[in-house]
Amino acid sequence: MSNTHRTTRTQNSRESRKSEREDEQEAPQEVEQEPEPEARPRKPRRPPRPSSDGEESTHEPEGRRPPLMEVLRQARGQLAELTGLEAESVSSFEQTEDGWSLEVEVLELSRVPDTMSLMGSYQVELDREGQLTGYRRVRRYERGRADPRAGGR
């Protein structure tokens, strides 16, 4: 290959690269994206339904209840917010026609030793969507005390 041909080829190559750089500066940069993994088909979102008082509700349609663990977490959180006492456990729960009925154990007064701390057992009522509708303390006891047995033993 002659020097003239080599020089021309090098110049053409440089001009080509320069032209490509100018095109890149003018055109917006396109980012290569990896193909998205196959997504599960999504259910269309339902618009919030109006409630009986005219306000929109974001709760599930009537007849459909939220998962149990979500209900229990919500109940503990709502009771703690209302009473200012932290719920330690849910000792019983029951699904009712109107929603849920739970018994929640709450630390009312911390003492040393811990077995002498005062506990409260609260009956908590929730609607179908898991919103607290009422509560009441049904029992107060020391943490280390067992309930008396039936039959006086």
Side-chain angles (χ1 to χ4, degrees):
M1 207 185 264
S2 70
N3 283 345
T4 309
H5 185 72
R6 212 180 273 152
T7 307
T8 306
R9 182 183 265 175
T10 306
Q11 287 174 345
N12 287 344
S13 169
R14 286 182 189 149
E15 288 173 6
S16 171
R17 278 188 247 133
K18 182 179 178 184
S19 174
E20 286 175 7
R21 276 186 254 135
E22 288 171 357
D23 288 344
E24 287 176 3
Q25 289 175 353
E26 289 176 12
Q29 300 241 345
E30 291 184 27
V31 178
E32 286 187 37
Q33 294 181 357
E34 291 183 26
E36 291 185 22
E38 277 189 43
R40 294 188 311 220
R42 292 187 179 179
K43 294 180 183 176
R45 292 187 109 189
R46 292 183 182 168
R49 64 185 166 110
S51 63
S52 58
D53 59 0
E55 292 185 21
E56 289 187 344
S57 171
T58 57
H59 298 296
E60 294 288 328
E62 195 166 324
R64 187 146 183 232
R65 296 183 183 205
L68 174 63
M69 292 310 294
E70 184 179 321
V71 169
L72 296 178
R73 275 194 281 290
Q74 283 181 355
R76 290 175 64 167
Q78 290 176 56
L79 183 64
E81 190 173 338
L82 287 170
T83 62
L85 303 170
E86 196 63 35
E88 288 201 353
S89 65
V90 176
S91 56
S92 72
F93 69 91
E94 174 182 2
Q95 202 169 20
T96 65
E97 282 185 25
D98 300 326
W100 301 89
S101 178
L102 296 94
E103 194 162 315
V104 181
E105 306 304 315
V106 173
L107 174 65
E108 291 193 338
L109 182 62
S110 183
R111 290 190 177 158
V112 176
D114 192 44
T115 55
M116 296 304 292
S117 293
L118 286 180
M119 303 293 293
S121 188
Y122 286 78
Q123 184 72 39
V124 178
E125 302 297 326
L126 307 169
D127 65 13
R128 287 179 173 263
E129 287 81 29
Q131 299 300 309
L132 195 137
T133 59
Y135 74 92
R136 64 187 171 92
R137 184 172 64 201
V138 293
R139 190 169 145 242
R140 197 168 195 206
Y141 59 97
E142 290 176 337
R143 186 188 296 267
R145 303 270 184 200
D147 286 338
R149 291 180 143 184
R153 292 186 188 176

PDB file of all heavy atoms in Angstrom, residues 49-75:
ATOM      1  N   ARG A  49     -64.124   3.440  46.153  1.00  0.00           N
ATOM      2  CA  ARG A  49     -65.582   3.495  46.137  1.00  0.00           C
ATOM      3  C   ARG A  49     -66.067   4.484  47.190  1.00  0.00           C
ATOM      4  O   ARG A  49     -65.464   4.616  48.257  1.00  0.00           O
ATOM      5  CB  ARG A  49     -66.165   2.103  46.375  1.00  0.00           C
ATOM      6  CG  ARG A  49     -65.833   1.555  47.736  1.00  0.00           C
ATOM      7  CD  ARG A  49     -66.320   0.128  47.872  1.00  0.00           C
ATOM      8  NE  ARG A  49     -65.688  -0.434  49.042  1.00  0.00           N
ATOM      9  CZ  ARG A  49     -66.334  -0.726  50.158  1.00  0.00           C
ATOM     10  NH1 ARG A  49     -67.607  -0.551  50.254  1.00  0.00           N
ATOM     11  NH2 ARG A  49     -65.678  -1.199  51.196  1.00  0.00           N
ATOM     12  N   PRO A  50     -67.146   5.187  46.905  1.00  0.00           N
ATOM     13  CA  PRO A  50     -67.658   6.121  47.908  1.00  0.00           C
ATOM     14  C   PRO A  50     -68.230   5.355  49.088  1.00  0.00           C
ATOM     15  O   PRO A  50     -68.836   4.305  48.920  1.00  0.00           O
ATOM     16  CB  PRO A  50     -68.746   6.908  47.166  1.00  0.00           C
ATOM     17  CG  PRO A  50     -68.979   6.190  45.890  1.00  0.00           C
ATOM     18  CD  PRO A  50     -67.879   5.204  45.688  1.00  0.00           C
ATOM     19  N   SER A  51     -68.014   5.865  50.288  1.00  0.00           N
ATOM     20  CA  SER A  51     -68.571   5.234  51.475  1.00  0.00           C
ATOM     21  C   SER A  51     -69.950   5.823  51.744  1.00  0.00           C
ATOM     22  O   SER A  51     -70.410   6.722  51.055  1.00  0.00           O
ATOM     23  CB  SER A  51     -67.640   5.451  52.678  1.00  0.00           C
ATOM     24  OG  SER A  51     -67.545   6.814  52.969  1.00  0.00           O
ATOM     25  N   SER A  52     -70.605   5.296  52.763  1.00  0.00           N
ATOM     26  CA  SER A  52     -71.974   5.729  53.060  1.00  0.00           C
ATOM     27  C   SER A  52     -72.055   7.205  53.426  1.00  0.00           C
ATOM     28  O   SER A  52     -73.085   7.830  53.236  1.00  0.00           O
ATOM     29  CB  SER A  52     -72.545   4.874  54.196  1.00  0.00           C
ATOM     30  OG  SER A  52     -71.717   4.993  55.339  1.00  0.00           O
ATOM     31  N   ASP A  53     -70.965   7.795  53.940  1.00  0.00           N
ATOM     32  CA  ASP A  53     -71.004   9.213  54.315  1.00  0.00           C
ATOM     33  C   ASP A  53     -70.548  10.124  53.177  1.00  0.00           C
ATOM     34  O   ASP A  53     -70.319  11.302  53.374  1.00  0.00           O
ATOM     35  CB  ASP A  53     -70.186   9.474  55.585  1.00  0.00           C
ATOM     36  CG  ASP A  53     -68.725   9.078  55.430  1.00  0.00           C
ATOM     37  OD1 ASP A  53     -68.339   8.592  54.342  1.00  0.00           O
ATOM     38  OD2 ASP A  53     -67.975   9.254  56.402  1.00  0.00           O
ATOM     39  N   GLY A  54     -70.396   9.573  51.959  1.00  0.00           N
ATOM     40  CA  GLY A  54     -70.054  10.388  50.799  1.00  0.00           C
ATOM     41  C   GLY A  54     -68.571  10.514  50.538  1.00  0.00           C
ATOM     42  O   GLY A  54     -68.171  10.958  49.486  1.00  0.00           O
ATOM     43  N   GLU A  55     -67.712  10.131  51.496  1.00  0.00           N
ATOM     44  CA  GLU A  55     -66.266  10.220  51.296  1.00  0.00           C
ATOM     45  C   GLU A  55     -65.786   8.973  50.575  1.00  0.00           C
ATOM     46  O   GLU A  55     -66.392   7.916  50.661  1.00  0.00           O
ATOM     47  CB  GLU A  55     -65.547  10.333  52.648  1.00  0.00           C
ATOM     48  CG  GLU A  55     -65.815  11.649  53.340  1.00  0.00           C
ATOM     49  CD  GLU A  55     -64.999  11.762  54.615  1.00  0.00           C
ATOM     50  OE1 GLU A  55     -63.994  11.059  54.742  1.00  0.00           O
ATOM     51  OE2 GLU A  55     -65.379  12.568  55.463  1.00  0.00           O
ATOM     52  N   GLU A  56     -64.668   9.118  49.835  1.00  0.00           N
ATOM     53  CA  GLU A  56     -64.121   7.968  49.129  1.00  0.00           C
ATOM     54  C   GLU A  56     -63.371   7.072  50.091  1.00  0.00           C
ATOM     55  O   GLU A  56     -62.721   7.533  51.018  1.00  0.00           O
ATOM     56  CB  GLU A  56     -63.187   8.424  48.012  1.00  0.00           C
ATOM     57  CG  GLU A  56     -63.926   9.058  46.865  1.00  0.00           C
ATOM     58  CD  GLU A  56     -62.998   9.345  45.697  1.00  0.00           C
ATOM     59  OE1 GLU A  56     -61.771   9.327  45.883  1.00  0.00           O
ATOM     60  OE2 GLU A  56     -63.521   9.587  44.609  1.00  0.00           O
ATOM     61  N   SER A  57     -63.457   5.788  49.834  1.00  0.00           N
ATOM     62  CA  SER A  57     -62.788   4.805  50.666  1.00  0.00           C
ATOM     63  C   SER A  57     -61.776   4.056  49.810  1.00  0.00           C
ATOM     64  O   SER A  57     -62.059   3.708  48.680  1.00  0.00           O
ATOM     65  CB  SER A  57     -63.818   3.823  51.239  1.00  0.00           C
ATOM     66  OG  SER A  57     -63.167   2.760  51.868  1.00  0.00           O
ATOM     67  N   THR A  58     -60.587   3.794  50.368  1.00  0.00           N
ATOM     68  CA  THR A  58     -59.562   3.065  49.624  1.00  0.00           C
ATOM     69  C   THR A  58     -59.490   1.616  50.087  1.00  0.00           C
ATOM     70  O   THR A  58     -58.572   0.912  49.738  1.00  0.00           O
ATOM     71  CB  THR A  58     -58.178   3.724  49.815  1.00  0.00           C
ATOM     72  OG1 THR A  58     -57.886   3.759  51.214  1.00  0.00           O
ATOM     73  CG2 THR A  58     -58.158   5.098  49.216  1.00  0.00           C
ATOM     74  N   HIS A  59     -60.472   1.172  50.869  1.00  0.00           N
ATOM     75  CA  HIS A  59     -60.466  -0.187  51.386  1.00  0.00           C
ATOM     76  C   HIS A  59     -60.906  -1.171  50.309  1.00  0.00           C
ATOM     77  O   HIS A  59     -61.462  -0.807  49.292  1.00  0.00           O
ATOM     78  CB  HIS A  59     -61.379  -0.309  52.610  1.00  0.00           C
ATOM     79  CG  HIS A  59     -60.939   0.566  53.743  1.00  0.00           C
ATOM     80  ND1 HIS A  59     -59.742   0.406  54.386  1.00  0.00           N
ATOM     81  CD2 HIS A  59     -61.527   1.629  54.317  1.00  0.00           C
ATOM     82  CE1 HIS A  59     -59.617   1.321  55.314  1.00  0.00           C
ATOM     83  NE2 HIS A  59     -60.686   2.079  55.284  1.00  0.00           N
ATOM     84  N   GLU A  60     -60.675  -2.441  50.590  1.00  0.00           N
ATOM     85  CA  GLU A  60     -61.051  -3.515  49.679  1.00  0.00           C
ATOM     86  C   GLU A  60     -62.569  -3.530  49.499  1.00  0.00           C
ATOM     87  O   GLU A  60     -63.310  -3.079  50.359  1.00  0.00           O
ATOM     88  CB  GLU A  60     -60.604  -4.866  50.279  1.00  0.00           C
ATOM     89  CG  GLU A  60     -59.116  -5.020  50.373  1.00  0.00           C
ATOM     90  CD  GLU A  60     -58.462  -5.223  49.021  1.00  0.00           C
ATOM     91  OE1 GLU A  60     -59.086  -5.825  48.129  1.00  0.00           O
ATOM     92  OE2 GLU A  60     -57.331  -4.754  48.860  1.00  0.00           O
ATOM     93  N   PRO A  61     -63.037  -4.092  48.382  1.00  0.00           N
ATOM     94  CA  PRO A  61     -64.471  -4.196  48.168  1.00  0.00           C
ATOM     95  C   PRO A  61     -65.124  -5.009  49.271  1.00  0.00           C
ATOM     96  O   PRO A  61     -64.493  -5.877  49.868  1.00  0.00           O
ATOM     97  CB  PRO A  61     -64.594  -4.925  46.835  1.00  0.00           C
ATOM     98  CG  PRO A  61     -63.241  -5.023  46.263  1.00  0.00           C
ATOM     99  CD  PRO A  61     -62.253  -4.634  47.299  1.00  0.00           C
ATOM    100  N   GLU A  62     -66.387  -4.756  49.530  1.00  0.00           N
ATOM    101  CA  GLU A  62     -67.101  -5.438  50.588  1.00  0.00           C
ATOM    102  C   GLU A  62     -67.067  -6.934  50.343  1.00  0.00           C
ATOM    103  O   GLU A  62     -67.157  -7.396  49.218  1.00  0.00           O
ATOM    104  CB  GLU A  62     -68.547  -4.949  50.655  1.00  0.00           C
ATOM    105  CG  GLU A  62     -69.215  -5.354  51.943  1.00  0.00           C
ATOM    106  CD  GLU A  62     -70.503  -4.606  52.166  1.00  0.00           C
ATOM    107  OE1 GLU A  62     -70.574  -3.434  51.816  1.00  0.00           O
ATOM    108  OE2 GLU A  62     -71.430  -5.239  52.688  1.00  0.00           O
ATOM    109  N   GLY A  63     -66.950  -7.701  51.415  1.00  0.00           N
ATOM    110  CA  GLY A  63     -66.877  -9.138  51.296  1.00  0.00           C
ATOM    111  C   GLY A  63     -65.447  -9.648  51.201  1.00  0.00           C
ATOM    112  O   GLY A  63     -65.185 -10.807  51.407  1.00  0.00           O
ATOM    113  N   ARG A  64     -64.514  -8.801  50.900  1.00  0.00           N
ATOM    114  CA  ARG A  64     -63.109  -9.190  50.784  1.00  0.00           C
ATOM    115  C   ARG A  64     -62.350  -8.599  51.963  1.00  0.00           C
ATOM    116  O   ARG A  64     -62.378  -7.399  52.176  1.00  0.00           O
ATOM    117  CB  ARG A  64     -62.551  -8.657  49.475  1.00  0.00           C
ATOM    118  CG  ARG A  64     -61.188  -9.146  49.212  1.00  0.00           C
ATOM    119  CD  ARG A  64     -60.972  -9.349  47.740  1.00  0.00           C
ATOM    120  NE  ARG A  64     -59.642  -9.898  47.602  1.00  0.00           N
ATOM    121  CZ  ARG A  64     -58.734  -9.411  46.802  1.00  0.00           C
ATOM    122  NH1 ARG A  64     -59.011  -8.418  46.016  1.00  0.00           N
ATOM    123  NH2 ARG A  64     -57.542  -9.941  46.749  1.00  0.00           N
ATOM    124  N   ARG A  65     -61.673  -9.445  52.711  1.00  0.00           N
ATOM    125  CA  ARG A  65     -60.977  -8.988  53.915  1.00  0.00           C
ATOM    126  C   ARG A  65     -59.472  -8.976  53.700  1.00  0.00           C
ATOM    127  O   ARG A  65     -58.946  -9.785  52.953  1.00  0.00           O
ATOM    128  CB  ARG A  65     -61.320  -9.900  55.081  1.00  0.00           C
ATOM    129  CG  ARG A  65     -62.785  -9.844  55.445  1.00  0.00           C
ATOM    130  CD  ARG A  65     -63.045 -10.701  56.633  1.00  0.00           C
ATOM    131  NE  ARG A  65     -64.474 -10.702  56.930  1.00  0.00           N
ATOM    132  CZ  ARG A  65     -64.959 -10.947  58.120  1.00  0.00           C
ATOM    133  NH1 ARG A  65     -64.171 -11.227  59.113  1.00  0.00           N
ATOM    134  NH2 ARG A  65     -66.248 -10.932  58.313  1.00  0.00           N
ATOM    135  N   PRO A  66     -58.781  -8.062  54.414  1.00  0.00           N
ATOM    136  CA  PRO A  66     -57.314  -8.043  54.314  1.00  0.00           C
ATOM    137  C   PRO A  66     -56.721  -9.287  54.978  1.00  0.00           C
ATOM    138  O   PRO A  66     -57.385  -9.936  55.787  1.00  0.00           O
ATOM    139  CB  PRO A  66     -56.921  -6.767  55.066  1.00  0.00           C
ATOM    140  CG  PRO A  66     -58.089  -6.393  55.888  1.00  0.00           C
ATOM    141  CD  PRO A  66     -59.297  -7.002  55.263  1.00  0.00           C
ATOM    142  N   PRO A  67     -55.477  -9.629  54.672  1.00  0.00           N
ATOM    143  CA  PRO A  67     -54.834 -10.806  55.276  1.00  0.00           C
ATOM    144  C   PRO A  67     -54.768 -10.687  56.802  1.00  0.00           C
ATOM    145  O   PRO A  67     -54.627  -9.596  57.352  1.00  0.00           O
ATOM    146  CB  PRO A  67     -53.426 -10.791  54.683  1.00  0.00           C
ATOM    147  CG  PRO A  67     -53.492  -9.907  53.495  1.00  0.00           C
ATOM    148  CD  PRO A  67     -54.613  -8.950  53.726  1.00  0.00           C
ATOM    149  N   LEU A  68     -54.851 -11.834  57.453  1.00  0.00           N
ATOM    150  CA  LEU A  68     -54.884 -11.890  58.913  1.00  0.00           C
ATOM    151  C   LEU A  68     -53.710 -11.176  59.574  1.00  0.00           C
ATOM    152  O   LEU A  68     -53.902 -10.380  60.495  1.00  0.00           O
ATOM    153  CB  LEU A  68     -54.928 -13.346  59.385  1.00  0.00           C
ATOM    154  CG  LEU A  68     -54.823 -13.556  60.887  1.00  0.00           C
ATOM    155  CD1 LEU A  68     -56.012 -12.920  61.592  1.00  0.00           C
ATOM    156  CD2 LEU A  68     -54.717 -15.013  61.218  1.00  0.00           C
ATOM    157  N   MET A  69     -52.491 -11.431  59.114  1.00  0.00           N
ATOM    158  CA  MET A  69     -51.319 -10.819  59.762  1.00  0.00           C
ATOM    159  C   MET A  69     -51.358  -9.300  59.637  1.00  0.00           C
ATOM    160  O   MET A  69     -50.949  -8.592  60.549  1.00  0.00           O
ATOM    161  CB  MET A  69     -50.019 -11.372  59.169  1.00  0.00           C
ATOM    162  CG  MET A  69     -49.789 -12.837  59.501  1.00  0.00           C
ATOM    163  SD  MET A  69     -49.954 -13.230  61.260  1.00  0.00           S
ATOM    164  CE  MET A  69     -48.593 -12.329  61.929  1.00  0.00           C
ATOM    165  N   GLU A  70     -51.861  -8.796  58.529  1.00  0.00           N
ATOM    166  CA  GLU A  70     -51.997  -7.345  58.370  1.00  0.00           C
ATOM    167  C   GLU A  70     -53.013  -6.797  59.369  1.00  0.00           C
ATOM    168  O   GLU A  70     -52.803  -5.759  59.982  1.00  0.00           O
ATOM    169  CB  GLU A  70     -52.439  -7.034  56.937  1.00  0.00           C
ATOM    170  CG  GLU A  70     -52.523  -5.553  56.651  1.00  0.00           C
ATOM    171  CD  GLU A  70     -52.939  -5.278  55.220  1.00  0.00           C
ATOM    172  OE1 GLU A  70     -52.480  -5.995  54.313  1.00  0.00           O
ATOM    173  OE2 GLU A  70     -53.729  -4.346  55.023  1.00  0.00           O
ATOM    174  N   VAL A  71     -54.107  -7.526  59.563  1.00  0.00           N
ATOM    175  CA  VAL A  71     -55.129  -7.117  60.525  1.00  0.00           C
ATOM    176  C   VAL A  71     -54.545  -7.069  61.935  1.00  0.00           C
ATOM    177  O   VAL A  71     -54.757  -6.105  62.675  1.00  0.00           O
ATOM    178  CB  VAL A  71     -56.344  -8.082  60.476  1.00  0.00           C
ATOM    179  CG1 VAL A  71     -57.297  -7.836  61.634  1.00  0.00           C
ATOM    180  CG2 VAL A  71     -57.071  -7.938  59.156  1.00  0.00           C
ATOM    181  N   LEU A  72     -53.785  -8.105  62.297  1.00  0.00           N
ATOM    182  CA  LEU A  72     -53.204  -8.150  63.643  1.00  0.00           C
ATOM    183  C   LEU A  72     -52.211  -7.008  63.862  1.00  0.00           C
ATOM    184  O   LEU A  72     -52.213  -6.368  64.916  1.00  0.00           O
ATOM    185  CB  LEU A  72     -52.522  -9.504  63.881  1.00  0.00           C
ATOM    186  CG  LEU A  72     -53.445 -10.722  63.864  1.00  0.00           C
ATOM    187  CD1 LEU A  72     -52.639 -12.001  64.050  1.00  0.00           C
ATOM    188  CD2 LEU A  72     -54.535 -10.614  64.901  1.00  0.00           C
ATOM    189  N   ARG A  73     -51.365  -6.729  62.861  1.00  0.00           N
ATOM    190  CA  ARG A  73     -50.410  -5.620  62.989  1.00  0.00           C
ATOM    191  C   ARG A  73     -51.128  -4.282  63.119  1.00  0.00           C
ATOM    192  O   ARG A  73     -50.763  -3.445  63.945  1.00  0.00           O
ATOM    193  CB  ARG A  73     -49.475  -5.587  61.778  1.00  0.00           C
ATOM    194  CG  ARG A  73     -48.288  -6.511  61.909  1.00  0.00           C
ATOM    195  CD  ARG A  73     -47.218  -6.231  60.878  1.00  0.00           C
ATOM    196  NE  ARG A  73     -47.445  -6.752  59.557  1.00  0.00           N
ATOM    197  CZ  ARG A  73     -47.415  -8.032  59.203  1.00  0.00           C
ATOM    198  NH1 ARG A  73     -47.203  -8.947  60.094  1.00  0.00           N
ATOM    199  NH2 ARG A  73     -47.596  -8.396  57.962  1.00  0.00           N
ATOM    200  N   GLN A  74     -52.145  -4.093  62.297  1.00  0.00           N
ATOM    201  CA  GLN A  74     -52.908  -2.841  62.351  1.00  0.00           C
ATOM    202  C   GLN A  74     -53.580  -2.675  63.710  1.00  0.00           C
ATOM    203  O   GLN A  74     -53.569  -1.587  64.277  1.00  0.00           O
ATOM    204  CB  GLN A  74     -53.982  -2.805  61.260  1.00  0.00           C
ATOM    205  CG  GLN A  74     -53.460  -2.516  59.890  1.00  0.00           C
ATOM    206  CD  GLN A  74     -54.592  -2.478  58.862  1.00  0.00           C
ATOM    207  OE1 GLN A  74     -55.753  -2.752  59.160  1.00  0.00           O
ATOM    208  NE2 GLN A  74     -54.246  -2.132  57.640  1.00  0.00           N
ATOM    209  N   ALA A  75     -54.153  -3.742  64.218  1.00  0.00           N
ATOM    210  CA  ALA A  75     -54.847  -3.682  65.504  1.00  0.00           C
ATOM    211  C   ALA A  75     -53.882  -3.299  66.622  1.00  0.00           C
ATOM    212  O   ALA A  75     -54.187  -2.432  67.452  1.00  0.00           O
ATOM    213  CB  ALA A  75     -55.504  -5.024  65.808  1.00  0.00           C
TER     214      ALA A  75
END
